[in-house]
PDB file of all heavy atoms in Angstrom:
ATOM      1  N   SER A   1      99.546  86.987  98.153  1.00 98.00           N
ATOM      2  CA  SER A   1      98.375  87.857  98.039  1.00 98.00           C
ATOM      3  C   SER A   1      98.776  89.301  97.771  1.00 98.00           C
ATOM      4  O   SER A   1      98.154  89.994  96.951  1.00 98.00           O
ATOM      5  CB  SER A   1      97.540  87.771  99.321  1.00 98.00           C
ATOM      6  OG  SER A   1      97.087  86.450  99.556  1.00 98.00           O
ATOM      7  N   ILE A   2      99.811  89.781  98.457  1.00 98.00           N
ATOM      8  CA  ILE A   2     100.277  91.153  98.245  1.00 98.00           C
ATOM      9  C   ILE A   2     100.737  91.349  96.806  1.00 98.00           C
ATOM     10  O   ILE A   2     100.434  92.369  96.174  1.00 98.00           O
ATOM     11  CB  ILE A   2     101.407  91.503  99.238  1.00 98.00           C
ATOM     12  CG1 ILE A   2     100.849  91.609 100.656  1.00 98.00           C
ATOM     13  CG2 ILE A   2     102.104  92.804  98.836  1.00 98.00           C
ATOM     14  CD1 ILE A   2     101.918  91.791 101.718  1.00 98.00           C
ATOM     15  N   PHE A   3     101.471  90.381  96.275  1.00 98.00           N
ATOM     16  CA  PHE A   3     101.921  90.479  94.890  1.00 98.00           C
ATOM     17  C   PHE A   3     100.728  90.552  93.939  1.00 98.00           C
ATOM     18  O   PHE A   3     100.744  91.299  92.960  1.00 98.00           O
ATOM     19  CB  PHE A   3     102.814  89.289  94.546  1.00 98.00           C
ATOM     20  CG  PHE A   3     104.267  89.506  94.838  1.00 98.00           C
ATOM     21  CD1 PHE A   3     104.668  90.201  95.971  1.00 98.00           C
ATOM     22  CD2 PHE A   3     105.250  89.007  94.002  1.00 98.00           C
ATOM     23  CE1 PHE A   3     106.016  90.411  96.254  1.00 98.00           C
ATOM     24  CE2 PHE A   3     106.590  89.215  94.261  1.00 98.00           C
ATOM     25  CZ  PHE A   3     106.976  89.915  95.390  1.00 98.00           C
ATOM     26  N   ALA A   4      99.693  89.768  94.229  1.00 97.00           N
ATOM     27  CA  ALA A   4      98.505  89.795  93.371  1.00 97.00           C
ATOM     28  C   ALA A   4      97.772  91.124  93.479  1.00 97.00           C
ATOM     29  O   ALA A   4      97.360  91.709  92.463  1.00 97.00           O
ATOM     30  CB  ALA A   4      97.567  88.653  93.750  1.00 97.00           C
ATOM     31  N   ILE A   5      97.624  91.627  94.687  1.00 97.00           N
ATOM     32  CA  ILE A   5      96.872  92.856  94.915  1.00 97.00           C
ATOM     33  C   ILE A   5      97.569  94.065  94.298  1.00 97.00           C
ATOM     34  O   ILE A   5      96.910  95.000  93.823  1.00 97.00           O
ATOM     35  CB  ILE A   5      96.660  93.070  96.431  1.00 97.00           C
ATOM     36  CG1 ILE A   5      95.713  91.989  96.974  1.00 97.00           C
ATOM     37  CG2 ILE A   5      96.107  94.457  96.743  1.00 97.00           C
ATOM     38  CD1 ILE A   5      95.698  91.887  98.491  1.00 97.00           C
ATOM     39  N   THR A   6      98.898  94.031  94.261  1.00 96.00           N
ATOM     40  CA  THR A   6      99.658  95.201  93.789  1.00 96.00           C
ATOM     41  C   THR A   6     100.165  95.057  92.361  1.00 96.00           C
ATOM     42  O   THR A   6     100.876  95.943  91.874  1.00 96.00           O
ATOM     43  CB  THR A   6     100.856  95.460  94.715  1.00 96.00           C
ATOM     44  OG1 THR A   6     101.701  94.298  94.748  1.00 96.00           O
ATOM     45  CG2 THR A   6     100.389  95.781  96.134  1.00 96.00           C
ATOM     46  N   ASP A   7      99.814  93.985  91.679  1.00 96.00           N
ATOM     47  CA  ASP A   7     100.284  93.777  90.312  1.00 96.00           C
ATOM     48  C   ASP A   7      99.486  94.651  89.347  1.00 96.00           C
ATOM     49  O   ASP A   7      98.261  94.527  89.243  1.00 96.00           O
ATOM     50  CB  ASP A   7     100.135  92.300  89.932  1.00 96.00           C
ATOM     51  CG  ASP A   7     100.887  91.956  88.651  1.00 96.00           C
ATOM     52  OD1 ASP A   7     100.979  92.819  87.756  1.00 96.00           O
ATOM     53  OD2 ASP A   7     101.385  90.825  88.553  1.00 96.00           O
ATOM     54  N   GLU A   8     100.159  95.516  88.631  1.00 92.00           N
ATOM     55  CA  GLU A   8      99.479  96.451  87.723  1.00 92.00           C
ATOM     56  C   GLU A   8      98.764  95.742  86.587  1.00 92.00           C
ATOM     57  O   GLU A   8      97.846  96.295  85.977  1.00 92.00           O
ATOM     58  CB  GLU A   8     100.486  97.451  87.151  1.00 92.00           C
ATOM     59  CG  GLU A   8     101.575  96.826  86.292  1.00 92.00           C
ATOM     60  CD  GLU A   8     102.529  97.850  85.732  1.00 92.00           C
ATOM     61  OE1 GLU A   8     102.056  98.895  85.233  1.00 92.00           O
ATOM     62  OE2 GLU A   8     103.764  97.608  85.795  1.00 92.00           O
ATOM     63  N   TYR A   9      99.189  94.529  86.272  1.00 94.00           N
ATOM     64  CA  TYR A   9      98.564  93.794  85.170  1.00 94.00           C
ATOM     65  C   TYR A   9      97.416  92.894  85.627  1.00 94.00           C
ATOM     66  O   TYR A   9      96.773  92.256  84.795  1.00 94.00           O
ATOM     67  CB  TYR A   9      99.615  92.949  84.443  1.00 94.00           C
ATOM     68  CG  TYR A   9     100.668  93.787  83.778  1.00 94.00           C
ATOM     69  CD1 TYR A   9     101.969  93.821  84.278  1.00 94.00           C
ATOM     70  CD2 TYR A   9     100.371  94.563  82.661  1.00 94.00           C
ATOM     71  CE1 TYR A   9     102.945  94.598  83.672  1.00 94.00           C
ATOM     72  CE2 TYR A   9     101.347  95.348  82.051  1.00 94.00           C
ATOM     73  CZ  TYR A   9     102.625  95.355  82.555  1.00 94.00           C
ATOM     74  OH  TYR A   9     103.597  96.136  81.961  1.00 94.00           O
ATOM     75  N   ASN A  10      97.183  92.834  86.927  1.00 94.00           N
ATOM     76  CA  ASN A  10      96.076  92.035  87.445  1.00 94.00           C
ATOM     77  C   ASN A  10      94.819  92.904  87.450  1.00 94.00           C
ATOM     78  O   ASN A  10      94.578  93.675  88.374  1.00 94.00           O
ATOM     79  CB  ASN A  10      96.396  91.535  88.853  1.00 94.00           C
ATOM     80  CG  ASN A  10      95.310  90.650  89.421  1.00 94.00           C
ATOM     81  OD1 ASN A  10      94.320  90.342  88.745  1.00 94.00           O
ATOM     82  ND2 ASN A  10      95.484  90.238  90.670  1.00 94.00           N
ATOM     83  N   THR A  11      94.029  92.784  86.424  1.00 91.00           N
ATOM     84  CA  THR A  11      92.875  93.677  86.251  1.00 91.00           C
ATOM     85  C   THR A  11      91.753  93.401  87.248  1.00 91.00           C
ATOM     86  O   THR A  11      90.850  94.211  87.388  1.00 91.00           O
ATOM     87  CB  THR A  11      92.313  93.541  84.823  1.00 91.00           C
ATOM     88  OG1 THR A  11      91.951  92.177  84.578  1.00 91.00           O
ATOM     89  CG2 THR A  11      93.347  93.981  83.804  1.00 91.00           C
ATOM     90  N   ILE A  12      91.805  92.271  87.928  1.00 93.00           N
ATOM     91  CA  ILE A  12      90.786  91.947  88.928  1.00 93.00           C
ATOM     92  C   ILE A  12      91.172  92.473  90.311  1.00 93.00           C
ATOM     93  O   ILE A  12      90.363  92.540  91.223  1.00 93.00           O
ATOM     94  CB  ILE A  12      90.559  90.421  88.989  1.00 93.00           C
ATOM     95  CG1 ILE A  12      90.172  89.907  87.605  1.00 93.00           C
ATOM     96  CG2 ILE A  12      89.456  90.057  89.959  1.00 93.00           C
ATOM     97  CD1 ILE A  12      88.908  90.548  87.039  1.00 93.00           C
ATOM     98  N   ALA A  13      92.428  92.866  90.482  1.00 92.00           N
ATOM     99  CA  ALA A  13      92.888  93.371  91.773  1.00 92.00           C
ATOM    100  C   ALA A  13      92.195  94.680  92.111  1.00 92.00           C
ATOM    101  O   ALA A  13      91.756  95.417  91.214  1.00 92.00           O
ATOM    102  CB  ALA A  13      94.399  93.579  91.735  1.00 92.00           C
ATOM    103  N   PRO A  14      92.089  95.006  93.404  1.00 90.00           N
ATOM    104  CA  PRO A  14      91.480  96.278  93.789  1.00 90.00           C
ATOM    105  C   PRO A  14      92.266  97.447  93.229  1.00 90.00           C
ATOM    106  O   PRO A  14      93.498  97.406  93.156  1.00 90.00           O
ATOM    107  CB  PRO A  14      91.549  96.251  95.322  1.00 90.00           C
ATOM    108  CG  PRO A  14      92.615  95.271  95.640  1.00 90.00           C
ATOM    109  CD  PRO A  14      92.557  94.234  94.565  1.00 90.00           C
ATOM    110  N   GLN A  15      91.568  98.455  92.824  1.00 79.00           N
ATOM    111  CA  GLN A  15      92.197  99.593  92.164  1.00 79.00           C
ATOM    112  C   GLN A  15      92.472 100.722  93.151  1.00 79.00           C
ATOM    113  O   GLN A  15      91.850 100.821  94.216  1.00 79.00           O
ATOM    114  CB  GLN A  15      91.300 100.096  91.030  1.00 79.00           C
ATOM    115  CG  GLN A  15      90.990  99.029  89.980  1.00 79.00           C
ATOM    116  CD  GLN A  15      92.232  98.485  89.308  1.00 79.00           C
ATOM    117  OE1 GLN A  15      93.059  99.244  88.802  1.00 79.00           O
ATOM    118  NE2 GLN A  15      92.373  97.161  89.306  1.00 79.00           N
ATOM    119  N   ALA A  16      93.405 101.575  92.765  1.00 71.00           N
ATOM    120  CA  ALA A  16      93.748 102.788  93.515  1.00 71.00           C
ATOM    121  C   ALA A  16      94.048 102.463  94.974  1.00 71.00           C
ATOM    122  O   ALA A  16      94.745 101.504  95.286  1.00 71.00           O
ATOM    123  CB  ALA A  16      92.633 103.820  93.383  1.00 71.00           C
ATOM    124  N   ASN A  17      93.496 103.255  95.904  1.00 83.00           N
ATOM    125  CA  ASN A  17      93.868 103.151  97.307  1.00 83.00           C
ATOM    126  C   ASN A  17      93.156 102.041  98.067  1.00 83.00           C
ATOM    127  O   ASN A  17      93.430 101.826  99.243  1.00 83.00           O
ATOM    128  CB  ASN A  17      93.587 104.487  98.013  1.00 83.00           C
ATOM    129  CG  ASN A  17      94.448 105.602  97.463  1.00 83.00           C
ATOM    130  OD1 ASN A  17      95.557 105.366  97.008  1.00 83.00           O
ATOM    131  ND2 ASN A  17      93.937 106.818  97.504  1.00 83.00           N
ATOM    132  N   SER A  18      92.245 101.330  97.409  1.00 94.00           N
ATOM    133  CA  SER A  18      91.535 100.269  98.111  1.00 94.00           C
ATOM    134  C   SER A  18      92.418  99.059  98.382  1.00 94.00           C
ATOM    135  O   SER A  18      92.078  98.205  99.201  1.00 94.00           O
ATOM    136  CB  SER A  18      90.295  99.847  97.325  1.00 94.00           C
ATOM    137  OG  SER A  18      90.664  99.369  96.039  1.00 94.00           O
ATOM    138  N   GLY A  19      93.566  98.982  97.712  1.00 96.00           N
ATOM    139  CA  GLY A  19      94.475  97.871  97.941  1.00 96.00           C
ATOM    140  C   GLY A  19      94.927  97.785  99.387  1.00 96.00           C
ATOM    141  O   GLY A  19      95.114  96.681  99.919  1.00 96.00           O
ATOM    142  N   ALA A  20      95.096  98.932 100.041  1.00 97.00           N
ATOM    143  CA  ALA A  20      95.520  98.930 101.446  1.00 97.00           C
ATOM    144  C   ALA A  20      94.501  98.228 102.332  1.00 97.00           C
ATOM    145  O   ALA A  20      94.869  97.481 103.253  1.00 97.00           O
ATOM    146  CB  ALA A  20      95.724 100.370 101.924  1.00 97.00           C
ATOM    147  N   LEU A  21      93.234  98.443 102.056  1.00 97.00           N
ATOM    148  CA  LEU A  21      92.182  97.812 102.845  1.00 97.00           C
ATOM    149  C   LEU A  21      92.173  96.303 102.620  1.00 97.00           C
ATOM    150  O   LEU A  21      92.038  95.522 103.573  1.00 97.00           O
ATOM    151  CB  LEU A  21      90.823  98.411 102.489  1.00 97.00           C
ATOM    152  CG  LEU A  21      89.626  97.904 103.278  1.00 97.00           C
ATOM    153  CD1 LEU A  21      89.795  98.187 104.767  1.00 97.00           C
ATOM    154  CD2 LEU A  21      88.331  98.537 102.750  1.00 97.00           C
ATOM    155  N   ILE A  22      92.347  95.884 101.375  1.00 97.00           N
ATOM    156  CA  ILE A  22      92.320  94.463 101.069  1.00 97.00           C
ATOM    157  C   ILE A  22      93.519  93.751 101.691  1.00 97.00           C
ATOM    158  O   ILE A  22      93.401  92.629 102.199  1.00 97.00           O
ATOM    159  CB  ILE A  22      92.261  94.230  99.551  1.00 97.00           C
ATOM    160  CG1 ILE A  22      91.058  94.960  98.950  1.00 97.00           C
ATOM    161  CG2 ILE A  22      92.206  92.748  99.237  1.00 97.00           C
ATOM    162  CD1 ILE A  22      89.717  94.587  99.584  1.00 97.00           C
ATOM    163  N   ILE A  23      94.686  94.370 101.659  1.00 98.00           N
ATOM    164  CA  ILE A  23      95.857  93.771 102.311  1.00 98.00           C
ATOM    165  C   ILE A  23      95.590  93.617 103.805  1.00 98.00           C
ATOM    166  O   ILE A  23      95.938  92.595 104.412  1.00 98.00           O
ATOM    167  CB  ILE A  23      97.111  94.618 102.058  1.00 98.00           C
ATOM    168  CG1 ILE A  23      97.519  94.526 100.579  1.00 98.00           C
ATOM    169  CG2 ILE A  23      98.275  94.160 102.944  1.00 98.00           C
ATOM    170  CD1 ILE A  23      98.643  95.461 100.182  1.00 98.00           C
ATOM    171  N   GLY A  24      94.957  94.610 104.413  1.00 98.00           N
ATOM    172  CA  GLY A  24      94.583  94.483 105.817  1.00 98.00           C
ATOM    173  C   GLY A  24      93.643  93.319 106.054  1.00 98.00           C
ATOM    174  O   GLY A  24      93.769  92.581 107.040  1.00 98.00           O
ATOM    175  N   PHE A  25      92.711  93.119 105.145  1.00 98.00           N
ATOM    176  CA  PHE A  25      91.784  91.993 105.268  1.00 98.00           C
ATOM    177  C   PHE A  25      92.516  90.658 105.124  1.00 98.00           C
ATOM    178  O   PHE A  25      92.147  89.667 105.764  1.00 98.00           O
ATOM    179  CB  PHE A  25      90.672  92.092 104.226  1.00 98.00           C
ATOM    180  CG  PHE A  25      89.595  93.084 104.571  1.00 98.00           C
ATOM    181  CD1 PHE A  25      88.890  93.730 103.573  1.00 98.00           C
ATOM    182  CD2 PHE A  25      89.275  93.365 105.881  1.00 98.00           C
ATOM    183  CE1 PHE A  25      87.888  94.649 103.877  1.00 98.00           C
ATOM    184  CE2 PHE A  25      88.280  94.274 106.208  1.00 98.00           C
ATOM    185  CZ  PHE A  25      87.579  94.919 105.202  1.00 98.00           C
ATOM    186  N   VAL A  26      93.542  90.617 104.278  1.00 98.00           N
ATOM    187  CA  VAL A  26      94.341  89.391 104.150  1.00 98.00           C
ATOM    188  C   VAL A  26      94.999  89.058 105.485  1.00 98.00           C
ATOM    189  O   VAL A  26      94.956  87.904 105.950  1.00 98.00           O
ATOM    190  CB  VAL A  26      95.409  89.539 103.044  1.00 98.00           C
ATOM    191  CG1 VAL A  26      96.368  88.346 103.063  1.00 98.00           C
ATOM    192  CG2 VAL A  26      94.754  89.659 101.677  1.00 98.00           C
ATOM    193  N   VAL A  27      95.609  90.060 106.116  1.00 98.00           N
ATOM    194  CA  VAL A  27      96.234  89.849 107.423  1.00 98.00           C
ATOM    195  C   VAL A  27      95.200  89.378 108.442  1.00 98.00           C
ATOM    196  O   VAL A  27      95.447  88.441 109.218  1.00 98.00           O
ATOM    197  CB  VAL A  27      96.923  91.144 107.904  1.00 98.00           C
ATOM    198  CG1 VAL A  27      97.415  90.996 109.347  1.00 98.00           C
ATOM    199  CG2 VAL A  27      98.075  91.502 106.982  1.00 98.00           C
ATOM    200  N   ALA A  28      94.033  90.017 108.438  1.00 98.00           N
ATOM    201  CA  ALA A  28      92.972  89.631 109.369  1.00 98.00           C
ATOM    202  C   ALA A  28      92.490  88.213 109.109  1.00 98.00           C
ATOM    203  O   ALA A  28      92.249  87.437 110.042  1.00 98.00           O
ATOM    204  CB  ALA A  28      91.807  90.612 109.267  1.00 98.00           C
ATOM    205  N   ALA A  29      92.352  87.836 107.841  1.00 98.00           N
ATOM    206  CA  ALA A  29      91.891  86.491 107.505  1.00 98.00           C
ATOM    207  C   ALA A  29      92.895  85.436 107.953  1.00 98.00           C
ATOM    208  O   ALA A  29      92.504  84.364 108.447  1.00 98.00           O
ATOM    209  CB  ALA A  29      91.641  86.386 106.000  1.00 98.00           C
ATOM    210  N   ILE A  30      94.174  85.738 107.794  1.00 98.00           N
ATOM    211  CA  ILE A  30      95.200  84.802 108.260  1.00 98.00           C
ATOM    212  C   ILE A  30      95.089  84.628 109.771  1.00 98.00           C
ATOM    213  O   ILE A  30      95.148  83.508 110.294  1.00 98.00           O
ATOM    214  CB  ILE A  30      96.602  85.288 107.866  1.00 98.00           C
ATOM    215  CG1 ILE A  30      96.774  85.249 106.342  1.00 98.00           C
ATOM    216  CG2 ILE A  30      97.685  84.443 108.534  1.00 98.00           C
ATOM    217  CD1 ILE A  30      98.049  85.911 105.851  1.00 98.00           C
ATOM    218  N   GLY A  31      94.917  85.727 110.486  1.00 98.00           N
ATOM    219  CA  GLY A  31      94.799  85.646 111.935  1.00 98.00           C
ATOM    220  C   GLY A  31      93.557  84.913 112.385  1.00 98.00           C
ATOM    221  O   GLY A  31      93.587  84.096 113.319  1.00 98.00           O
ATOM    222  N   ALA A  32      92.442  85.173 111.724  1.00 97.00           N
ATOM    223  CA  ALA A  32      91.185  84.545 112.101  1.00 97.00           C
ATOM    224  C   ALA A  32      91.194  83.047 111.844  1.00 97.00           C
ATOM    225  O   ALA A  32      90.529  82.279 112.536  1.00 97.00           O
ATOM    226  CB  ALA A  32      90.030  85.190 111.343  1.00 97.00           C
ATOM    227  N   SER A  33      91.975  82.621 110.854  1.00 97.00           N
ATOM    228  CA  SER A  33      91.991  81.200 110.490  1.00 97.00           C
ATOM    229  C   SER A  33      93.139  80.427 111.119  1.00 97.00           C
ATOM    230  O   SER A  33      93.073  79.199 111.220  1.00 97.00           O
ATOM    231  CB  SER A  33      92.066  81.055 108.965  1.00 97.00           C
ATOM    232  OG  SER A  33      93.242  81.665 108.456  1.00 97.00           O
ATOM    233  N   ALA A  34      94.202  81.122 111.548  1.00 98.00           N
ATOM    234  CA  ALA A  34      95.380  80.406 112.046  1.00 98.00           C
ATOM    235  C   ALA A  34      96.064  81.093 113.218  1.00 98.00           C
ATOM    236  O   ALA A  34      97.158  80.670 113.622  1.00 98.00           O
ATOM    237  CB  ALA A  34      96.381  80.218 110.901  1.00 98.00           C
ATOM    238  N   GLY A  35      95.460  82.118 113.784  1.00 97.00           N
ATOM    239  CA  GLY A  35      96.114  82.885 114.826  1.00 97.00           C
ATOM    240  C   GLY A  35      96.450  82.111 116.080  1.00 97.00           C
ATOM    241  O   GLY A  35      97.451  82.386 116.745  1.00 97.00           O
ATOM    242  N   TYR A  36      95.639  81.126 116.421  1.00 96.00           N
ATOM    243  CA  TYR A  36      95.873  80.376 117.652  1.00 96.00           C
ATOM    244  C   TYR A  36      97.049  79.404 117.544  1.00 96.00           C
ATOM    245  O   TYR A  36      97.516  78.886 118.551  1.00 96.00           O
ATOM    246  CB  TYR A  36      94.613  79.612 118.053  1.00 96.00           C
ATOM    247  CG  TYR A  36      93.730  80.345 119.042  1.00 96.00           C
ATOM    248  CD1 TYR A  36      93.673  81.727 119.044  1.00 96.00           C
ATOM    249  CD2 TYR A  36      92.958  79.649 119.965  1.00 96.00           C
ATOM    250  CE1 TYR A  36      92.869  82.411 119.939  1.00 96.00           C
ATOM    251  CE2 TYR A  36      92.142  80.323 120.880  1.00 96.00           C
ATOM    252  CZ  TYR A  36      92.102  81.710 120.853  1.00 96.00           C
ATOM    253  OH  TYR A  36      91.314  82.379 121.756  1.00 96.00           O
ATOM    254  N   LEU A  37      97.523  79.139 116.343  1.00 98.00           N
ATOM    255  CA  LEU A  37      98.625  78.186 116.183  1.00 98.00           C
ATOM    256  C   LEU A  37      99.904  78.687 116.842  1.00 98.00           C
ATOM    257  O   LEU A  37     100.516  77.984 117.640  1.00 98.00           O
ATOM    258  CB  LEU A  37      98.872  77.909 114.698  1.00 98.00           C
ATOM    259  CG  LEU A  37      97.785  77.106 113.985  1.00 98.00           C
ATOM    260  CD1 LEU A  37      98.051  77.076 112.489  1.00 98.00           C
ATOM    261  CD2 LEU A  37      97.712  75.689 114.547  1.00 98.00           C
ATOM    262  N   GLU A  38     100.324  79.908 116.490  1.00 98.00           N
ATOM    263  CA  GLU A  38     101.508  80.483 117.120  1.00 98.00           C
ATOM    264  C   GLU A  38     101.503  82.005 117.062  1.00 98.00           C
ATOM    265  O   GLU A  38     102.538  82.645 117.128  1.00 98.00           O
ATOM    266  CB  GLU A  38     102.808  79.951 116.486  1.00 98.00           C
ATOM    267  CG  GLU A  38     103.050  80.325 115.036  1.00 98.00           C
ATOM    268  CD  GLU A  38     102.300  79.439 114.064  1.00 98.00           C
ATOM    269  OE1 GLU A  38     102.022  78.276 114.406  1.00 98.00           O
ATOM    270  OE2 GLU A  38     101.971  79.929 112.977  1.00 98.00           O
ATOM    271  N   GLY A  39     100.301  82.582 116.959  1.00 97.00           N
ATOM    272  CA  GLY A  39     100.208  84.036 117.001  1.00 97.00           C
ATOM    273  C   GLY A  39     100.393  84.726 115.667  1.00 97.00           C
ATOM    274  O   GLY A  39     100.422  85.949 115.619  1.00 97.00           O
TER     275      GLY A  39
END
């Protein structure tokens, strides 16, 4: 996901500084869906 979000040629990726927020959401989504497995 990080590679996709930060790829300059991925025109659908979030632009400018919004990428930081989306990466945070990726981390949160992983935790919300699998956090109880092993933290």
